[in-house]
Amino acid sequence: MKHPITLVTGVLAALVVLLSTAVLLTDWQADVDNTLFWHMLTQLQLPLVVTATLVGAVLAVSAGSLQVVLQNPLADPGIIGITSGASLIAAALLILQPVQTVIPAVYLLPLGCFAGALASTWLIYRVAKRLRGAAMAVILAGIAISTLAGAVMAWLYVIADAQALRNLTFWLMGSLYQADWLVLSVAGPVMLLSVGYQLTQARRLNWLYGGEAMAASAGVSPPQLIRRTLLASALGVGAAVSVAGSIAFIGLLVPHFLRQIVGYNNVVLLPACALCGAAILLGVATLSEYLHLVTLPVSMITATLGGPLLLLALYKGQWKQHA
Amino acid sequence: MLELEQVCITQRLHNIDLKVGRGQHWHILGENGAGKSTLLQLMAGLLEIPHGHCRLNAHDITDYSLPHLARLRAYHAQQYTLPFDIPAQQYISFYGQRLTAATLPAAIEQALDVAALLPRPLTCLSGGELQRINLTRAIWQVWTAIANAKALLLLDEPLQGLDVRHQLTLMKFVEQLVAAGNTVVLSSHDLNLSARFASHALLLKQGQAVACGNIEQVCTEANLAQAYGLAFDISNNQNALQIQPRWSSATT
């Protein structure tokens, strides 16, 4: 029982270190002089590594805890519409405001993402509460929110100019290359705190597996736990969207596959999710660095890999629902 | 140990008075929707009490913190479908110490026969098996308090879904726990088992107490007829009450 847990965690941690080093040393062999190398390292590769690590970790951990809180193994910030809510507000802010006021946008964008993420999380929580037990209905509601956000963004295409169009692709498909230290200085700590907070709640989240009454009898106030966890994950996902746009599938697949290996104990599962999410996005970063695919939207890669895996899991009946 | 004083919950419970002493074995009886589950929930400290008082060891139950209560009172709720395929063993371990076939107390195994179920995922269990796992979960959570004879066990329909043998072994186990000094309050629909095992009973109808006290005082033909709207024949057989509904007059 103990053995695979330490093994998996070890392998994931090693992968994170390995891939970060790989990304950092992209330009090493190129015969560039030292100052240029250091400049690229600190201004390009390092923000890339930090973005990939934090975004991957926060998306996977938030999905893991959302699945417990919403009592739904299919919950994922992407699928239930949290990322698209955040993206929509950010894109709308970018396009609807005059280009001259770009500077405050650095602070405005994260705020917009937080607002969008919180609003869609609140909405989905209301739906989940109303349709207690109907797991599929929550997913459908999430799809409705995503579709609506997508449609509104498509309308924004109509009124957007060429520069804004590029930005829209970013908000729809995600990218790890938009982040610089300025943006990261706002969103980074939020993501870090969000992951940290959710990890501290892991033991209490275990109690929610048996439902709210069981959690209460085990010694935690469920409404409080649920509210705080939702808030933490919404803020974390909002921050992730503000630096990397919307990235699909990480949250759905990472907790699901890790549960098959390390089990359901969130004290083990959530840290493993953080490592695995980080490793996957670092892998994507490594791939696009070495294959020179910088313009590739992240969601394209994660969806290319994740879509078939999702279908496979569904086909094998791993998401049997009683509802 | 547990004392209810004029407890009211809008539309569900009306002016309930109850004194549960340490080492007593109470059964809450009554038809569906009579308020049994609500009563157990508020005794567990999981409900706000708008009127009246619920005191545990002479302190208002709302004065206890949930983590404190979690160590001394077990609460078993009626069934809840879990959306996750958690192995039973891991599920139970979340709520207490780590539970394995080796650390499973012999008394629990004898009563609930769960050792063979521990490695199986919860979604692959039958209703009765899941019920036994859930009971194990509730009891295991307060196992230390049970060992110190200080536990309060609140079980909502623990007999539901169990086969005849497990109903008996469970009630025998509860009898042992009570004899050791623990306190048990459970709701039941099996009048004969209640009459055989309970020391006291509370009979509810539409949120009101019809009768309350020693099991013999509560289980009378008049009380049961009032609570269930059905006539009963009660006979005493070897010091145990036999309670039979009168079939001929089943439609009153």
Side-chain angles (χ1 to χ4, degrees), chain A residues 67-87:
Chain A
Q67 290 170 3
V68 179
V69 166
L70 297 176
Q71 290 283 309
N72 190 329
L74 291 167
D76 155 77
I79 288 190
I80 63 173
I82 301 182
T83 44
S84 49
S87 290

Side-chain angles (χ1 to χ4, degrees), chain B residues 194-205:
Chain B
S194 295
R196 162 78 180 76
F197 286 97
S199 63
H200 298 74
L202 168 67
L203 189 57
L204 288 176
K205 184 178 174 73

Side-chain angles (χ1 to χ4, degrees), chain A residues 67-68 71-73 206-211 213-214 216-221 259 263-265 320 322, chain B residues 46 66-67 69-70 73 75-77 80-87 90-91 94-95 98 123 137 141:
Chain A
Q67 290 170 3
V68 179
Q71 290 283 309
N72 190 329
N206 283 344
W207 296 339
L208 268 183
Y209 277 126
M214 290 302 101
S217 81
V220 67
S221 154
R259 280 195 193 103
Y264 286 79
N265 186 355
K320 297 181 286 270
H322 305 281
Chain B
L46 302 178
L66 282 173
L69 282 176
R73 92 59 193 92
Y75 172 67
H76 166 82
Y80 172 85
T81 28
L82 281 108
F84 293 93
D85 273 332
I86 311 174
Q90 191 169 30
Y91 174 63
F94 288 156
Y95 295 89
R98 210 172 116 76
T123 40
R137 184 212 66 77
Q141 185 186 316

Side-chain angles (χ1 to χ4, degrees), chain A residues 187-213:
Chain A
V190 177
M191 288 191 274
L192 210 58
L193 285 174
S194 163
V195 170
Y197 180 77
Q198 293 180 67
L199 294 187
T200 62
Q201 299 303 308
R203 203 167 69 90
R204 298 196 179 101
L205 287 173
N206 283 344
W207 296 339
L208 268 183
Y209 277 126
E212 291 186 29

Side-chain angles (χ1 to χ4, degrees), chain A residues 84-123:
Chain A
S84 49
S87 290
L88 175 63
I89 303 288
L93 280 176
L94 254 189
I95 285 164
L96 295 180
Q97 80 167 356
V99 187
Q100 286 84 348
T101 52
V102 161
I103 309 301
V106 174
Y107 300 102
L108 200 62
L109 277 184
L111 285 178
C113 286
F114 295 150
L118 285 173
S120 40
T121 308
W122 178 79
L123 199 62

